[in-house]
């Protein structure tokens, strides 16, 4: 639910705008506000799970997510809806790190790889099928207020999830007192805000008017790291133990791979939706169905790839990233050569190929990144990993949308615009590929004697 709500609302924006009489600047915050607070609360959510117990935080955050979904669904005005979405993103960010933390606590050895395989399939499918689910809901609900069911659908799912969690998730001992590093939380929040705010406002000229926030975010981020070092030296509990990056094998490489991959992978869904609906006249549902092969391929591959991590290691990520890049490159070439209405059928095979590659990236990378993390830091480690992925998503979406619009504005040629954006995505994924190859070679290098 929390990942679907990042993208599912996109297809409902025209209906929301018409029903609530909203302008384009305000309506953008229905999407951007959720992404912003989601990204801001991830690390704090992980730390709270480490301190208070992940089962407790899972239940609290899930309850909050269901309630804020209801608030969004009954919104009588745009302001109400934006506030509800901000709160929904906050609870979603508190909820997400508990998943990887619970897997760290409850599973070990090959079982952990299989569990992360299921989690990776969920992440990949949720990211890709948001437009499909949104289109189906709007088609079924109909009417000017049909958009409300995009949020109401979370209520029955959330209630069932709460009942299952109460029964099935075991009680685990909390790792310690809720000694939250407030100064660190404020510094990290300000740094993430400085990066995300201009990006989520890109459609309103955020990059042109708010670029100065980026250097400020760098300074605040450096101050955050200095503060966390000081907290560790004083023997207190930091918000982010920087030893995750310096002393935990594979964590730094895995976090970098995740950020780069989500930067290239997540942005393609927006430009696909714009191309299919504006360029080819597809309905929202048809647009979502055109990318379904990626979701199917990703789900199957993630389930298969998870158990193979223990045997293949980083190689499986290398192969997955290469396959994603090849799949998207072939899709770009097909779109250039076959811009007809039936192009969705022509790209089905390469989209499935890209999905298979994607399924071999997310869950194995999560497993490898978190495999050596101490259990008492599992929540915050998962939160940091997810924060990097959310920042990558924001950067990639802004970058690919800018490339698409620039080419379309200069040429007026929709196939050329989507192909150029896809080749830009392939170039970004190539960065993740290079990082994965480097980490794979490092793992295979012989250890010097003595």
């Amino acid at each position: 639910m929390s990942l679907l709500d990042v993208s599912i609302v996109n297809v409902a924006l025209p209906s929301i705008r018409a029903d609530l009489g909203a302008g384009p600047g305000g309506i953008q915050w229905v999407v951007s506000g959720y992404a912003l607070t989601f990204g801001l609360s991830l690390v704090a959510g992980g730390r709270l799970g480490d301190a208070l117990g992940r089962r407790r935080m899972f239940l609290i955050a899930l309850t909050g997510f269901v309630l804020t979904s209801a608030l969004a669904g009954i919104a009588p005005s745009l302001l109400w809806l934006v506030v509800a979405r901000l709160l929904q993103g906050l609870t979603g960010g508190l909820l997400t790190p508990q998943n990887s933390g619970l897997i760290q606590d409850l599973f070990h050895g090959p079982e952990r790889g299989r569990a992360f395989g299921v989690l990776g399939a969920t992440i990949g499918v949720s990211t890709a099928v948001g437009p499909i689910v949104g289109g189906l809901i709007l088609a079924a609900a109909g009417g000017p207020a049909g958009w409300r069911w995009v949020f109401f659908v979370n209520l029955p799912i959330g209630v069932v999830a709460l009942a299952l969690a109460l029964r099935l998730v075991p009680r685990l001992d909390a790792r310690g007192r809720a000694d939250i590093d407030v100064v660190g939380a404020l510094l990290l929040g300000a740094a993430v805000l400085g990066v995300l705010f201009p990006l989520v406002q890109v459609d309103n000229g955020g990059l042109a008017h708010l670029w100065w926030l980026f250097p400020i975010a760098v300074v605040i981020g450096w101050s955050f790291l200095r503060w966390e070092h000081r907290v560790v030296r004083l023997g207190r509990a930091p918000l982010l133990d920087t030893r995750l990056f310096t002393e935990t094998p594979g964590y730094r490489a895995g976090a970098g791979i995740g950020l780069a991959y989500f930067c290239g992978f997540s942005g393609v869904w927006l430009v696909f939706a714009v191309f299919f609906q504006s360029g080819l006249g597809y309905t929202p549902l048809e647009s979502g169905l055109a990318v379904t092969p990626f979701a199917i391929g990703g789900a199957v591959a993630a389930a298969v790839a998870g158990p193979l991590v223990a045997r293949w290691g980083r190689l499986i990520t290398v192969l997955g990233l290469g396959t994603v890049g090849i799949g998207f490159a072939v899709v770009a070439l097909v779109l250039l050569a076959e811009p007809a209405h039936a192009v969705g059928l022509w790209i089905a095979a390469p989209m499935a190929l890209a999905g298979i590659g994607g399924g071999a990236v997310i869950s194995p990378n999560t497993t490898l990144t978190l495999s050596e993390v101490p259990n008492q830091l599992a929540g915050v480690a998962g939160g940091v990993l997810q924060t990097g992925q959310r920042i990558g998503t924001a950067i990639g979406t802004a970058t690919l949308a800018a490339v698409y619009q620039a080419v379309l504005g200069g040429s007026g040629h929709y196939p050329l615009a989507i192909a150029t954006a896809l080749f830009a995505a392939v170039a970004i994924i190539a960065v993740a590929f290079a990082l994965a190859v480097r980490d794979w070679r490092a793992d295979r290098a012989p250890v010097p004697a003595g």
Side-chain angles (χ1 to χ4, degrees), residues 51-129:
L52 300 177
R54 299 191 224 290
R55 182 181 188 272
R56 180 185 301 173
M57 278 304 303
F58 184 91
L59 294 172
I60 292 172
L62 181 56
T63 301
F65 191 84
V66 172
L67 293 176
T68 52
S69 296
L71 288 176
I74 64 173
S77 66
L78 180 65
L79 177 60
W80 179 304
L81 180 58
V82 169
V83 172
R85 286 288 284 172
L86 290 169
L87 294 173
Q88 192 185 30
L90 177 68
T91 55
L94 295 176
L95 174 64
T96 298
Q98 314 314 325
N99 299 318
S100 57
L102 282 166
I103 289 175
Q104 289 284 95
D105 284 342
L106 299 175
F107 298 92
H108 305 279
E111 282 189 341
R112 181 178 290 178
R114 287 193 289 272
F116 274 123
V118 175
L119 178 61
T122 303
I123 293 172
V125 171
S126 299
T127 305
V129 305

Side-chain angles (χ1 to χ4, degrees), residues 322-393:
T323 305
V324 175
I326 292 171
F328 280 152
V330 174
V331 171
L333 294 174
V334 171
L335 292 174
L336 277 174
E338 180 60 46
H341 184 80
V343 74
L345 296 176
W346 286 93
I347 66 170
M351 284 293 287
L353 179 67
I356 290 170
V361 174
I362 297 176
S363 60
N365 186 61
T366 302
T367 304
L368 293 166
T369 305
L370 300 178
S371 60
E372 300 295 328
V373 172
N375 280 10
Q376 65 269 24
L377 297 177
V380 71
V384 172
L385 187 62
Q386 285 278 342
T387 300
Q389 293 173 1
R390 298 284 73 76
I391 291 175
T393 297

Side-chain angles (χ1 to χ4, degrees), residues 110 305-316 368:
L308 296 177
V309 175
R311 186 189 311 168
W312 290 18
R314 181 57 72 188
L315 176 61
I316 196 169
L368 293 166

Side-chain angles (χ1 to χ4, degrees), residues 72-266:
I74 64 173
S77 66
L78 180 65
L79 177 60
W80 179 304
L81 180 58
V82 169
V83 172
R85 286 288 284 172
L86 290 169
L87 294 173
Q88 192 185 30
L90 177 68
T91 55
L94 295 176
L95 174 64
T96 298
Q98 314 314 325
N99 299 318
S100 57
L102 282 166
I103 289 175
Q104 289 284 95
D105 284 342
L106 299 175
F107 298 92
H108 305 279
E111 282 189 341
R112 181 178 290 178
R114 287 193 289 272
F116 274 123
V118 175
L119 178 61
T122 303
I123 293 172
V125 171
S126 299
T127 305
V129 305
I132 307 171
V133 176
L136 287 171
I137 292 173
L138 289 176
W147 62 268
R148 298 182 184 277
W149 286 98
V150 168
F151 304 109
F152 286 147
V153 72
N154 289 334
L155 273 61
I157 298 172
V159 169
V160 171
L162 277 170
L164 292 174
L166 283 168
R167 176 168 180 161
L168 298 176
V169 178
R171 296 181 183 274
L172 300 169
D173 293 334
R175 301 292 175 181
R177 296 181 300 109
D179 183 17
I180 302 301
D181 176 12
V182 176
V183 174
L186 292 174
L187 287 172
L188 179 61
V192 174
L193 181 65
V195 173
L196 288 181
F197 189 70
L199 294 172
V200 299
Q201 285 289 91
V202 67
D203 289 342
N204 299 324
L207 292 179
H209 302 301
L210 299 171
W211 61 267
W212 49 271
L213 284 174
F214 291 129
I216 292 177
V218 171
V219 174
I220 297 175
W222 179 84
S223 301
F224 166 73
L225 292 176
R226 298 295 301 170
W227 173 263
E228 295 302 283
H229 279 302
R230 179 176 181 273
V231 171
V232 171
R233 285 198 308 269
L234 294 175
R236 292 159 47 197
L239 180 72
L240 169 60
D241 195 326
T242 54
R243 290 173 293 187
L244 281 171
F245 295 95
T246 59
E247 300 178 13
T248 305
Y251 189 83
R252 179 168 55 187
I257 291 167
L259 188 152
Y261 175 65
F262 271 78
C263 188
F265 150 76
S266 299

